[in-house]
Amino acid sequence: MGGTVARRGSGAGGGTAAGLGGTLTPVPVPVPVPGPAAVAGPCQDLSPAARAAMAEGIPAETARGYAGDRARFEEWALSAGFPAMPARAETLAEYATWLTVTLRPRTGRPYKPSSIDRALAAIVVAHHAAGRTPPGQTDARLVLKGYQADLKLTKDPRGKKRRANAATPAVLRRMIAATDPTTLIGLRDATARLLGFAIAAHSSEAALLAWEDIIEPEDDEGIAVEVYRPKVTNEQPLGVPCGSYPSSCPVRTLRAYGQALLDHGHSPTGPLLVRIDLHGRVNPPVFRNGHRIGDPSGRMTREGVGDIVTRTARRAGLLQRPDALLPDLPARWTGHALRRGYAEATRKAKKDMLEAARHGGWVDGSKAFAGYHDRAAAFDEDLNPLFGIGL
């Protein structure tokens, strides 16, 4: 980077932070020389144990993303001549500008607004973890706001938040039709999809499920499932009743999967979703560079659970566009499709919004859950104001 960043010229958009259109020209990076009063100082002293406890409160997936964001910021700061710790507000604004114009090696496009937003958050969290006062974000947020406006004006897909498709019950039945229920791996995949939908599980939550989390009530109306949700304190078991359609019933499918494991000589204990190869072998050894990898118990990773949805959607012909068309955006059929499908299905069935949200692990008043409900209500005659007005 050699001490310069590429900036867009003012062009027709003017020279404000929001006007990010125009050509790219290298501009020397001003290296600030902060006076004693301008240097961010330490926060209230925290013990290493307290900082470690704070770090434990960050979900593992978020922590992994933050680690990569911090590493990229430190590399950029070193090359551009800025101190990374403690950082200044001006440094954060320069970095945000750099992210809006720098092409990512993997995609060939600049970073998406959501990626920049997380990068700024990662820098702030890193300062808190180090006991330092974080830099002000006002200028950097103005850069991000202008970038978002520019993307929307040009109808750039990166300006819209990319969401997974909704795996509603009708979609799940198409996936089931593309799955071989006579194989152990087919029953495992069907269980992952149907039970994941029934409890609106994140892929990471589904991967944590164990057979011991399944409770079989005496009335045989269904099952109860203990779900570990890191962001929700409600620990009440979730009731999953038997479905109306045998092919898409999560209870019948789970029981068939458990029986198939017994038939293959494996007791249904421990992890619910386990690695199975195409030959039906449970927990086959996996090696990398001569070393065995993977959970010794055979537990699938969250990525493996999510890939079940993506792989089945492809077999069912549900991919609506080539993967290469928008390579910088995530696949439409991901593990999150089950969670979104649950939210939209409960809205179309006119279930109580609060109870549906709590069942799925959303906090009360969740904007994300409300957004899913709004999209599901697009053609609801009771909610869409265009119905019945004489058009």
Side-chain angles (χ1 to χ4, degrees), residues 30 32 73 76-77 82-84 86-97 123 135 140:
F73 172 68
W76 171 85
F82 289 100
R88 291 165 51 89
E90 296 86 348
T91 304
L92 213 58
E94 290 289 351
Y95 184 56
T97 303
I123 296 168

Side-chain angles (χ1 to χ4, degrees), residues 94-110:
E94 290 289 351
Y95 184 56
T97 303
W98 182 79
L99 290 175
T100 67
V101 297
T102 300
L103 304 183
R104 301 179 66 180
R106 183 175 64 86
T107 66
R109 298 184 179 192

Side-chain angles (χ1 to χ4, degrees), residues 58 62 136 199 278:
I58 301 176
T62 303
I199 62 175
L278 296 177

